């Protein structure tokens, strides 16, 4: 999944104690959510963000920023995550439980709580959720596509505007029941139901395009007062939110003021100095490395900084069709992880070296090591050269590495990273052909499976959408991506892998965990489609008047509703 | 006078029309692919891309697209996005599929900010530049004069971006003696107050040129025969300098001002970027760098052009008020 | 003159050497000198001009001798030194040292002096090359419009108005990738190819937008010059038009042309820096001051001031020196400041 | 006298041309030149004939809300003849079209209609190429000694240009330029100096030398001394007179100073608002002007001799300024300022004709001419 | 000319003093400018006086210091770059060294100036009436309306038709002659005792020049003020001046009644000037021009400044002309000249009759 609104990103992983899947579900949680006795009420929090969500439409959202805003503040879904002592727990939200699955595992039924009201005072109905799910099919260009893969008839359905209201994948037999009909078993559906795509939308209020988001009816504790794309979002309290029905959210602040498109460095300097409004400002863009001494552990401003895993593993993608396994292994040895990491402006605040594809906070994570794949170190050109020679490549017949890189990045990072990589790989005996293109063009070029490259195609990493590896591997290594004209990790198209994926997905949520861990090791040992590089971390920097900032390890963002401020 | 303005406007319109065609060709026939940026971040299969392109109407011949755009400008047109048909009334600058907004709404919302920034900056640089220039001219050769000219030279030589960055950092962030910027939606007061800091830095840096120019002009004017005549009337020295001297010195300054309009707009572009001002420049840069949002780019360039042309006409008319000789020609 | 057969006649006919030009006066004047030479004489004694010229020459030397200087420092351009970077904050572990005169670049450890010295090359080259080319274009356009008048003038004037109405920064910004695409034949280029192509694209675009001012100026000057009686005299004598333009009119424009060109150079240097800041300028691996400024100011520039300030000072000093030099040149050519 | 270009091209050897001879320094007759020597210009062959010459400038004029295209009738149907050796003076108020006339004859301006015949050849419609040989014959001296010399060229270059253009004095250009400088009374060693190093009077001499370089027959002098100081003015006048005498030049001499005109010219044409209103021999015009405008002009000229006991003249003071040449008065153009104007003056334009009744020799365009003799007293 | 409607019309006749009184006394005035080349001695040891009702003509070639000396009367030189010595008494007030405040009070009200080029001397951006009214208001506490009425009245007085409409026009809408009239109106609006007219007609046509000269004469008679007329045109002097002061290279070389000086010059330079001018009423065979050109004021010739151009040095014994600066002396016939010639009148008249 996509980590942030624009840049192909860098964020999230946790090193906390690994949860078992079972422990992270609490089907019996009831509202109201416990409130912190130290919490102060009132005030406004300013949140600054360098990029801007292109809309606040719940059907189209797939990003960390807008996701954090909607799931925590304005939009309730069937289920939700809560943070309990640093652990993420899945609880029922609009639903009364975490869903009932039929014995053939193809039908999921959710019962809704009664008396849930929209911000305009009208009552929510089950049909609104069914409509919202159908509606999400119209926005798959920008939103997630799990519903397309799993819901019955999802591969044909194009949403209510084009394909009409009839869709076999979901129904609302009465006002308080929502039933999902699946094309194949989907053990982790209750995780998917936390998505805003499952937040109710009354069909009558739909504007039929993303402008719905500007005035979307809220079910959460806050509602949109105004949204100006590219610059600002203002949230105020939702008077029709009933805490008693909500086990996941609290309402401390009077409102939130989101500023988009701000200058990160300037904001971070302001927050560190906490002058004026910066005292109550929070910024969750990656912190500039030069501030690390101030905010790192033991630093004078350490109290203004919270960090935690985000959901992403950053990788270096290789085209397995064009690079033989032996060369891929040599590449893994030659790759200058550390130099590139530092050249990218990354520090220990930004991530941790990764040696597996699954990040450690996912249940079932297997802590294995494939020799040479540590995600760190300066690279070993001598050894790599020897490996290449063994594979039949030498100075007279060098192996050619081709890659695209962004050449219009004003911070120059992509260009210097490319330079360093080129030098280091050449030192190991590779021939490197680097092609500079504008960032926006690169995105297109590296998404073309037939493009003229052999490393660095998309995805350059993966962020899980829910804490189970079935939101990691099926989308990244199954052959479906390549079949539909896209790219995946290693540009893999292997029936053995597909079969293994299918096998694991059929298991129950608790059983899947360890199996994914083994799959990870198997994949890396036998295929080596990508080089794991680092597990991204979220950075949250805030003014001295901001309190109770907690990182959401599943999303790599602050849990917005739990924050309070001094006035 | 009327004829003069009419001719000026006709010239402006011809420039705008050509700009329209040229920008359309440059952007729509250029290498940009707006569909790509609409596609989900990491991967976008070709099929999906083609779908998006079709839904945006980008698959049709460029002439058809232009005809449609042109028509939209004058009579409006309908645009389909998602399940919706939006009517975009004239002057329709197109529809941003990226922001799901009509471009006209988007650019007109930011228009006041950019114009206000430009005008405030103009107030600053004319105020500072002209008054310092006059003082320097009247004390020609004094230490004050030399210091002022020197400082303005040095100030003008430092790359603007660095000056603006330092200014923004020190005066609005670390020692916030000047207020932060606010979008228009926060209300008029905070909005306009927020523009003070960027206007000051843009104005001050621009003023360096005006200090020197006004000074030179003023020195020239004060040597004119009619200034001597004014002095021979026995009126006060202030009156001679400000009423007779400055008035005449101003008209060449105005000419330069007219020529500077495009430069001023470019200045706001960078300033908006650095101060995070929610104006046209920022919109355009985002559209250019990040999203390839062609209709937005077109809209901002056209509107930018309109601003320059309009301000130019205003300056010309102002010029004719300053200099009565122009009124007849 | 050998007419002096009669003193009376000589007087009546006013033949003889004018007392005004008698030898005493002669020595105080500069005879047989072109205005250019006179301007040169004046510049030679203008202290500001000399200091500025020294500064400009200094930077030109830096640019030309960059390879040598960097070798002297014991470095190479674009050599990465990750070992000099503190991985905790990506800042260099060293300041100025004997090995790295200006320290090293944060994140990558490249030698900043090398980047600075080599960075002077494109700044100066673009500055001077663009100034020369746009000056030539401006002269030609201005001469044609001003002297031929009529339809030619109207067309050129319109084009000038057109360019003046364009929000040029936006345009330049949008044009860079397009021109690059066209010039590059649509191919995808390697870093080296891109960077050299960008150089030319930048140059072309700066010239495209740079000739306007001078053309306007020249046009106006030619308008008044062609009414001057010496031009009319040339016509009456039967001097062909081309010769009038080149021999009679052009030499009278040398002053404004030199002034305009000398003011254009710092303008282009600043423009390169600005465009690079916005991401439409030069690219890796070509170092340029504009790019270094852009990179350094993109982060927390107070953390390692050595990164930002040398190129800022370079640009500022060069721009200042060139502008002051331009002003001195203008004064030197200005007949009204002549004694 | 033959001045065919070929003859001059090999002027190094014994030229047959009087002018060329005269320009050789050794041959310059250095003696007190007797100016204004009676001469028989009346019967000399015609050198320049101007017939019905018209020049209208198209101008745009704003009237209220509309833009009119109208024309400045700068020169409106004038005819005159300059004979070999004659100096014709052209006087009139500012803006009456004197300079335009000179620019038409030198073809700096294209005439709207009419003929300009030089030795019978009509040059009014000639192309620049055809004109070039004639350019040698007709030269111009300009008013402003500062703007008439290219400040970026040395005197040598300035004087060489005409030689090069017409291929004169091949091989001895430098010597020739020196000769020219000597001819106008300048030190030939100053050949490498720039115009800025000369005083106004000297510059005017350089301008004269440049005109003489091509050995012209006719010189159009547009206010050649107006910009000069009194004492310098006299020097230049003397120079012109001497050259005229020595080289037998013809002049169209434009001036607004009636003293200068009287001093230099044989015949005089008085212009008013694009038209010639009176034309005749100098003696007649000064002693017996007939046109009211000529009379007003003469009586307005301040005269130094009033202090020398010359009886006070009758004073005629014109009211107002001349009307705009864009929209000249109907009929007689002078009628708006004329004290004699009657109805007919507004209706019928008086032709330029000889008034037999006066017994005098000048042509006048007036319905009510009257000879006035008391305007200028003869001192001598 | 009607003065009936003028609010201040009465004052014109109320002026103190009568014709012939000395209003201005200039004594031993020297003006020196600093320049790159060295000090410019624009005016040296100049003395003269101007009397009510009389016209003093100051003549001389370009650069002889005519304008500089007259600008000194209004204190218009930049004090930083100018050294002024000597004395100027205007109606009892010493002007040399007077404060800017004093000078401002005198300008226009006691001494007014009409400049040479009316085109450049009127402010192009202000209406003519306003420019005149401004001068009036600078010295009278009256409302704008009153001052305006006064301006219109002045325009009428200098013979501008339809003055009320003209007052509302800009200078560029005036013809050259009308501009000069407006300048004169501006000069006279405060009824000064002394009017300095610096080449008021040089830029004008003969017919217009005649009108303006007549006007100045008429107004002088009516206002009774003293007029200093600066010109290089001796014919103009002959027509209008009572007294004459001939300047050469910053010094007075001859002073006297205009009538006498012009009909019988006593200084070779004056004589040269007279002989240089071709007259409309006289057919001369040849002009007897003065040789050479006026000297540079920085490098003045030694002795008599005129000696390099003078034809009569041989009449003066020894090298006196070259070595000794002649004093301005009074001749037996009452004229003042700066010349070593013992009997100039005889020498020069011989020459003329030659
Ligand atoms: N190029 C032109 N376009 C329009 N009008 C012109 C042009 N040249 C001259 N005129 C007009 O033609 C008329 C005659 O001008 P011209 O210069 O011949 O007058 P002049 O007699 O030489 O006057 P002066 O004594 O001032 O030199 C004037 O009204 C002038 O404004
Ligand atoms: N401000 C000044 N600084 C230096 N020199 C000056 C200044 N003003 C006048 N001069 C010089 O003083 C001399 C006398 O000038 P002035 O203007 O009085 O001459 P003029 O007799 O009025 O001549 P014209 O007839 O040309 O008006 C000139 O040589 C002039 O260059
Ligand atoms: Mg003329
Ligand atoms: Mg003067």
């Amino acid at each position: 999944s996509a980590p942030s609104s624009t840049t192909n990103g860098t964020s999230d992983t946790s090193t906390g104690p690994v949860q078992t899947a079972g422990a992270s579900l609490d089907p019996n949680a009831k509202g109201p959510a416990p409130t912190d006795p130290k919490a102060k009420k009132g005030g406004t929090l300013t949140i600054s963000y360098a990029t801007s969500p292109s809309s606040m439409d719940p059907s189209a959202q797939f990003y960390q920023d807008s996701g954090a805003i909607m799931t925590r503040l304005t939009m309730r879904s069937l289920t939700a995550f809560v943070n309990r002592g640093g652990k993420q727990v899945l609880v029922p939200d609009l639903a009364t439980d975490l869903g009932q699955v039929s014995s053939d595992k193809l039908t999921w039924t959710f019962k809704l709580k009664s008396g849930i009201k929209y911000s305009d005072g009208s009552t929510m109905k089950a049909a609104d959720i069914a409509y919202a799910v159908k509606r999400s099919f119209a926005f798959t260009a920008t939103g997630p596509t799990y519903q397309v893969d799993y819901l019955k008839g999802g591969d044909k359905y194009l949403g209510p505007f084009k394909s009409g209201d009839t869709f076999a994948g979901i129904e609302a037999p009465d006002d308080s029941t929502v039933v999902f009909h699946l094309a194949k078993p989907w053990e982790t559906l209750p995780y998917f139901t936390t998505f805003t795509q499952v937040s109710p939308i009354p069909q009558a209020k739909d504007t039929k395009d993303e402008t719905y988001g500007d005035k979307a009816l809220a079910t959460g504790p806050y509602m949109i007062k105004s949204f100006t794309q590219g610059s600002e979002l203002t949230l105020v309290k939702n008077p029709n939110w009933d805490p008693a029905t909500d086990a996941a959210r609290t309402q401390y602040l009077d409102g939130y003021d989101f500023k988009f498109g701000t200058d990160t460095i300037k904001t971070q300097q302001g927050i560190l100095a906490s002058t004026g409004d910066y005292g109550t400002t929070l910024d969750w863009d990656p912190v500039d490395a030069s501030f690390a001494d101030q905010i790192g552990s033991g630093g004078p401003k350490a109290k203004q900084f919270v960090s935690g895993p985000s959901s992403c593993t950053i990788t270096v993608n290789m085209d397995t069709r064009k690079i033989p396994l032996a060369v891929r292994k040599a590449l893994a040895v030659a790759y200058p992880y550390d130099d590139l990491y530092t050249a990218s402006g990354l520090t220990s605040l930004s991530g941790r070296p990764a040696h597996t594809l699954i990040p450690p906070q996912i249940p079932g994570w297997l802590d294995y090591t494939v020799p040479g794949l540590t995600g760190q170190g300066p690279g070993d050109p001598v050894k790599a050269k020897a490996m290449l020679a063994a594979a039949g490549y030498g100075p007279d017949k060098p192996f050619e590495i081709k890659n695209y890189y962004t050449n219009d990045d004003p911070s120059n990072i992509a260009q210097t990273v490319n330079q360093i990589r080129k030098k280091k790989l050449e030192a190991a005996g590779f021939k490197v052909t680097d092609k500079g293109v504008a960032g926006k063009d690169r995105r297109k070029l590296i998404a073309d499976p037939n493009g003229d490259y052999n490393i660095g195609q998309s995805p350059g990493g993966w962020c899980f959408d829910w804490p189970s590896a079935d939101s990691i591997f099926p989308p990244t290594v199954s052959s479906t991506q390549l079949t539909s004209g896209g790219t995946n990790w290693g540009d893999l198209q292997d029936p053995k892998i597909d079969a293994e994926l299918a096998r694991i997905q059929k298991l129950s949520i608790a059983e899947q965990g360890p199996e994914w861990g083994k799959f990870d090791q198997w994949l890396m040992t036998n295929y080596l489609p990508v080089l794991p590089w680092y597990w991204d971390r979220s950075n949250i920097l805030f003014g001295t008047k901001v309190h109770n900032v907690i990182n959401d390890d599943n999303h790599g963002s602050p849990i917005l509703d739990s924050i309070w401020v001094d006035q | 006078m009327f004829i003069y303005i009419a001719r000026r406007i006709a010239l402006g319109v011809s420039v705008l029309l050509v700009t329209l065609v040229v920008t359309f060709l440059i952007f729509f026939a250029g290498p940009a692919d707006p569909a790509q940026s609409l596609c989900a971040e990491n991967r976008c299969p070709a099929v999906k891309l083609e779908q998006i392109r079709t839904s945006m109407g980008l698959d049709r011949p460029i002439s058809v697209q232009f005809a449609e755009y042109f028509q939209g400008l004058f009579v409006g047109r309908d645009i389909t996005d998602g399940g919706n048909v939006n009517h975009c009334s004239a002057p329709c600058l197109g529809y941003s599929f990226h922001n799901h907004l009509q471009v006209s709404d988007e650019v007109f919302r930011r228009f006041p900010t950019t114009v206000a920034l430009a005008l405030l900056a103009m107030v600053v640089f004319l105020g500072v530049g002209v008054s310092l220039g006059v003082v320097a001219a009247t004390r020609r050769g004094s230490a004050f004069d030399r210091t002022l000219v020197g400082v303005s030279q040095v100030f003008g030589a430092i790359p603007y971006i660095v000056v603006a960055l330092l200014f923004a950092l020190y005066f609005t962030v670390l020692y916030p003696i000047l207020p932060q910027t606010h979008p228009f939606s926060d209300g008029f007061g905070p909005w306009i107050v927020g523009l003070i800091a960027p206007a000051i830095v843009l104005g001050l840096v621009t003023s360096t040129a005006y200090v020197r120019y006004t000074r030179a002009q003023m020195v020239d004017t004060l040597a004119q025969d009619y200034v001597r005549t004014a002095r021979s009337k026995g009126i006060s020295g202030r009156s001679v300098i400000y009423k007779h001297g400055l008035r005449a010195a101003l008209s060449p300054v105005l000419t330069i001002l007219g020529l500077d309009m495009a430069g001023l707009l470019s200045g706001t572009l960078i300033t908006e970027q650095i101060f995070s001002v929610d104006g046209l420049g920022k919109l355009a840069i985002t559209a250019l760098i990040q999203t390839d949002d062609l209709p937005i780019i077109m809209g901002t360039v056209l509107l930018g052009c309109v601003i320059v042309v309009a301000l130019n006409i205003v300056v010309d008319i102002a010029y004719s008020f300053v200099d009565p000789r122009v009124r007849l020609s | 003159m050998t007419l002096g057969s009669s003193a009376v006649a000589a007087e009546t006919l006013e033949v003889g050497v004018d007392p005004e030009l008698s030898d005493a006066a002669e020595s105080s004047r500069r005879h047989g000198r072109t205005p250019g030479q006179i301007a040169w004489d004046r510049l030679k004694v203008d202290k500001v001009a000399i200091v500025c010229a020294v500064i400009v020459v200094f930077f030109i030397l830096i640019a030309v001798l960059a390879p040598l200087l960097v070798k002297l420092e014991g470095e190479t351009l674009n050599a990465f030194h990750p070992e000099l970077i503190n991985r905790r904050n990506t800042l260099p572990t060293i300041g100025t040292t004997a090995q790295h005169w200006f320290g090293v670049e944060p994140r990558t450890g490249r030698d900043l002096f090398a980047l600075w010295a080599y960075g002077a090359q494109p700044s100066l080259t673009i500055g001077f090359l663009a100034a020369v080319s746009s000056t030539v274009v401006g002269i030609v356009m201005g001469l044609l419009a001003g002297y031929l008048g009529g339809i030619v003038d109207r067309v050129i004037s319109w084009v000038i108005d057109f360019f003046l109405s364009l929000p040029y920064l936006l345009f330049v910004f949008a044009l860079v990738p397009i021109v690059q695409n066209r010039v590059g034949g649509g191919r995808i280029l390697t870093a080296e190819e891109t960077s050299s192509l960008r150089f030319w694209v930048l140059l072309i675009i700066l010239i495209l937008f740079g000739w306007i001012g001078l053309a306007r100026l020249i046009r106006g000057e030619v308008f008044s010059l062609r009414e001057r009686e010496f031009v009319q005299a040339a016509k009456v004598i039967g001097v062909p038009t081309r010769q009038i333009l080149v021999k009679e009119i052009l030499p009278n424009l040398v002053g404004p042309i030199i002034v305009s060109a000398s003011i254009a150079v710092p303008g282009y240097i600043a423009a390169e820096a600005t465009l690079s800041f916005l991401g439409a300028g030069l690219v890796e691996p070509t170092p340029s001051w504009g790019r270094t400024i852009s990179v350094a100011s993109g982060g927390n520039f107070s953390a390692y001031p050595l990164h930002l300030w040398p190129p800022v000072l370079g640009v500022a000093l060069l721009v200042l020196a060139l502008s002051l030099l331009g002003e001195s040149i203008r004064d030197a050519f200005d007949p009204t400041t002549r004694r | 006298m033959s001045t065919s270009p070929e003859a001059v091209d090999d002027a190094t050897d014994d030229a047959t041309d009087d002018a060329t001879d005269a320009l050789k320094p050794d041959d310059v007759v250095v003696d007190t030149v007797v100016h204004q020597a009676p001469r028989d210009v009346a019967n000399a062959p015609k050198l320049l004939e101007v017939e019905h010459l018209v020049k209208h400038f198209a101008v745009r004029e704003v009237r209220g809300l509309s833009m009119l295209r109208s024309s400045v009738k700068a020169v409106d149907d004038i005819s005159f003849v300059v004979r070999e050796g004659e100096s014709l003076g052209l006087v009139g108020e500012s803006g009456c079209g004197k300079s335009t006339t000179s620019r038409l004859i030198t073809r700096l301006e294209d005439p709207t209609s009419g003929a300009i015949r030089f030795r019978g050849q009509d040059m009014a419609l000639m192309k620049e190429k055809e004109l070039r040989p004639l350019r040698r014959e007709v030269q111009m001296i300009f008013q402003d000694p500062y703007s008439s010399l290219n400040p970026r060229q040395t005197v040598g270059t300035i004087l060489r240009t005409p030689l090069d253009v017409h291929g004169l004095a091949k091989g001895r250009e430098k010597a020739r330029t020196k000769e020219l400088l000597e001819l106008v009374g300048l030190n030939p060693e100053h050949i490498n100096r720039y115009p800025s190093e000369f005083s106004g009077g000297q510059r005017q001499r350089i301008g004269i030398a440049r005109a003489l370089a091509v050995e012209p027959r006719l010189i159009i002098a547009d206010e050649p001394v107006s910009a000069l100081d009194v004492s310098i003015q006299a020097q230049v006048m003397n120079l012109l007179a001497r050259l005229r005498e020595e080289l037998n030049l013809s002049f169209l001499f434009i001036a607004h100073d009636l003293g200068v005109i009287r001093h230099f010219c044989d015949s005089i044409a008085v212009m008013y608002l694009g038209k010639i209103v009176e034309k005749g021999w100098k003696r007649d015009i000064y002693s017996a002007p007939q046109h009211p405008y000529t009379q007003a002009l003469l009586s307005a000229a301040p005269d130094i001799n009033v202090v020398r006991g010359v009886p006070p003249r009758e004073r005629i003071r014109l009211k107002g300024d001349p009307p705009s040449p864009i929209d000249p008065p109907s009929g007689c153009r002078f009628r708006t300022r004329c004290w004699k104007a009657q109805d007919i003056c507004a209706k019928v334009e008086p032709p330029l004709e000889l008034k037999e009744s006066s017994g005098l020799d000048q042509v006048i365009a007036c319905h009510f001419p009257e000879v006035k003799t008391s305007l200028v007293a003869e001192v001598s | 000319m009607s003065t009936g409607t003028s609010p201040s019309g009465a004052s014109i006749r109320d002026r103190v003093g009568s014709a012939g009184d000395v209003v201005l006394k200039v004594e031993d005035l020297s003006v020196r400018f600093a320049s790159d080349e060295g000090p410019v001695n624009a005016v040296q040891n100049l003395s003269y006086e101007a009397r009510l009702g009389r016209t003093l003509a100051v003549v001389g070639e370009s650069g002889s210091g005519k304008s500089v000396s007259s600008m000194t009367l209004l204190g218009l030189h930049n004090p930083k770059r100018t050294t002024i010595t000597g004395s100027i008494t205007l109606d009892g007030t010493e002007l040399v060294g007077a404060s800017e405040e004093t000078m401002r009070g005198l300008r226009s009200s006691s001494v007014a100036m009409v400049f040479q080029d009316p085109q450049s001397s009127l402010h192009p951006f202000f209406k003519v009436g306003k420019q005149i009214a401004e001068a009036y208001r600078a010295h009278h506490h009256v409302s704008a309306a009153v001052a305006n009425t006064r301006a219109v009245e002045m325009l009428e007085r200098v013979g501008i038709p339809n003055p009320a409409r003209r007052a509302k026009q800009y200078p560029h809408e005036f013809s050259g002659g009308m501009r000069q009239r407006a300048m004169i109106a501006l000069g006279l609006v405060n009824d000064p005792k002394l009017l300095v007219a610096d080449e008021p007609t040089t830029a004008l046509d003969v017919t217009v020049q005649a009108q303006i000269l007549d006007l100045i004469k008429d107004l002088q008679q009516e206002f009774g003020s003293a007029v200093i007329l600066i010109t290089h045109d001796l014919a103009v002097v002959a027509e209008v001046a009572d007294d004459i002061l001939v300047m050469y290279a910053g010094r007075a070389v001859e002073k006297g009644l205009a009538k006498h000086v012009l009909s019988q010059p006593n200084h070779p330079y004056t004589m040269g000037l007279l002989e240089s001018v071709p007259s409309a009423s006289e057919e001369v065979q040849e002009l007897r021009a003065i040789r050479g050109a006026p000297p540079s004021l920085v490098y003045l010739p030694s002795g008599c400044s005129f000696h390099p151009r003078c034809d009569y040095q041989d009449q003066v014994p020894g090298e006196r002309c070259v070595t000794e600066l002649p004093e301005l002396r009074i001749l037996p016939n009452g004229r003042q000249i700066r010349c070593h010639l013992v009997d100039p009148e005889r020498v020069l008249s011989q020459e003329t009759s030659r």
Side-chain angles (χ1 to χ4, degrees), chain D residues 54-59 70-77 95-97 100 271-275 324-328 333:
Chain D
V54 176
K55 177 66 190 179
H56 292 180
F57 291 104
V59 288
S70 51
S71 58
V72 176
K73 299 172 180 65
V75 170
D76 209 2
D77 191 4
C96 70
T100 306
M271 274 186 87
Y272 185 79
L273 217 57
K275 295 235 178 241
S324 151
I326 294 180
D327 200 5
R333 294 197 172 176

Side-chain angles (χ1 to χ4, degrees), chain E residues 209-324:
Chain E
Q209 164 171 319
Q211 292 170 1
I212 298 290
L213 291 177
D214 287 351
L215 175 72
I216 292 180
K217 243 188 197 166
D218 291 348
L219 290 172
Q220 182 182 19
Q221 253 154 40
E222 190 195 346
F223 286 70
S225 36
V227 172
I228 296 180
L229 178 72
I230 296 169
T231 181
H232 61 252
D233 189 339
L234 294 173
V236 167
V237 179
E239 301 249 340
V240 299
D242 300 306
D243 306 302
I244 188 168
L245 166 71
V246 182
M247 288 185 74
Y248 186 78
R251 293 197 175 89
V253 291
E254 180 155 10
K255 266 195 317 195
L257 284 178
K259 237 185 345 205
H260 297 161
V261 174
L262 293 183
S263 54
Q264 186 55 265
N266 281 355
H267 192 282
Y269 174 64
T270 317
M271 159 130 161
L273 276 188
L274 280 167
E275 305 234 309
S276 293
V277 190
S279 162
S281 63
E282 187 180 18
E283 197 98 354
V284 286
Q285 292 294 296
E286 92 186 71
L287 298 172
R288 298 174 45 86
I290 309 173
R291 286 180 288 130
S296 145
L297 292 180
V298 181
Y299 307 108
L300 272 183
S302 60
C304 171
S305 308
F306 187 63
H307 85 256
R309 307 176 75 189
C310 186
D311 288 338
Y312 303 96
Q313 284 178 68
D314 50 353
Q315 309 268 353
V316 179
E319 291 281 276
R320 279 185 75 203
C321 289
V322 184
T323 56
E324 190 186 322

Side-chain angles (χ1 to χ4, degrees), chain A residues 447-462:
Chain A
D448 176 5
N450 303 315
D452 187 24
Y453 59 80
N454 55 16
I455 64 165
Q457 80 273 25
S458 67
W462 194 258

